[in-house]
Amino acid sequence: MAELITVARPYAEAVFRLAKASGTLGQWSQVLANLGLLAQNQTALDVVANPKYSATQVQQLLVDLLGGDVSEEVKNFLVVVLENGRFAALAAVSEVFEALKAAEEGEVEAVIESAFPLDDAQKNTLASTLSAQLNRKVAAEVTVNPELIGGVKVTVGDLVIDASVQGKLAALATSLKS
């Protein structure tokens, strides 16, 4: 996966710069999301890899699948991606682009694991507390993980805040071994 991200990053950064300059971040986000889904489809991968079809034919097929009404920049992007054999990397391009877009908008994604389901008020309180701590808008994805026993575990990028009973027990066990 790291290799795919390495391949995808320059494409995502180039598209991000273009989209930012032209004020089309939202449109590119949608286009890349759709292309990323197509790049995960085995039939699409087979068609793109089939030497029977030229890059122009595949590009036109992809444009049609995107709804037909795409900008010249999108068409040019598809030509570059197809000519360089990078179609399979489009899901990763979309992922890197979204991370760049979120950073530009001052937003960060947080994965919150809770031992029990959280109601909307609890989710909002937790998200606003994280926003205040991180000085960024937080988009929270909440999942239930009963193995935590109680409490929550929050992951924001490389930062992990483990306020779960399981985490506290693990820390206690480690300190007793020392």
Side-chain angles (χ1 to χ4, degrees):
M1 181 65 175
E3 183 178 312
L4 201 54
I5 292 291
T6 303
V7 168
R9 185 168 307 284
Y11 290 92
E13 289 173 348
V15 170
F16 178 76
R17 284 191 302 273
L18 173 71
K20 184 177 171 187
S22 64
T24 56
L25 285 171
Q27 291 92 328
W28 273 103
S29 181
Q30 188 62 45
V31 165
L32 290 174
N34 289 336
L35 288 172
L37 288 174
L38 285 170
Q40 294 174 346
N41 179 288
Q42 190 57 51
T43 303
L45 289 168
D46 292 343
V47 168
V48 169
N50 190 332
K52 166 173 129 176
Y53 302 110
S54 70
T56 305
Q57 289 172 311
V58 174
Q59 178 216 24
Q60 188 56 53
L61 173 64
L62 293 173
V63 166
D64 291 344
L65 290 172
L66 290 172
D69 186 28
V70 297
S71 68
E72 284 303 312
E73 290 86 5
V74 171
K75 290 177 184 177
N76 293 338
F77 173 73
L78 286 171
V79 168
V80 171
V81 166
L82 294 170
E83 286 179 352
N84 291 313
R86 301 299 190 206
F87 180 75
L90 284 174
V93 170
S94 177
E95 183 180 317
V96 173
F97 179 87
E98 289 304 319
L100 292 168
K101 182 176 172 256
E104 175 69 22
E105 295 170 346
E107 186 174 298
V108 67
E109 187 168 315
V111 176
I112 301 169
E113 294 177 71
S114 173
F116 302 100
L118 300 176
D119 62 32
D120 288 339
Q122 291 169 318
K123 290 177 194 174
N124 292 338
T125 300
L126 194 50
S128 63
T129 301
L130 285 169
S131 291
Q133 289 291 96
L134 300 171
N135 292 325
R136 289 190 166 169
K137 182 179 173 188
V138 172
E141 175 189 327
V142 180
T143 60
V144 175
N145 181 355
E147 292 179 11
L148 296 178
I149 304 170
V152 296
K153 181 177 177 182
V154 179
T155 306
V156 181
D158 293 340
L159 173 68
V160 177
I161 303 167
D162 193 346
S164 69
V165 173
Q166 179 191 38
K168 301 231 187 277
L169 289 173
L172 179 61
T174 302
S175 69
L176 291 175
K177 288 181 184 177
S178 301

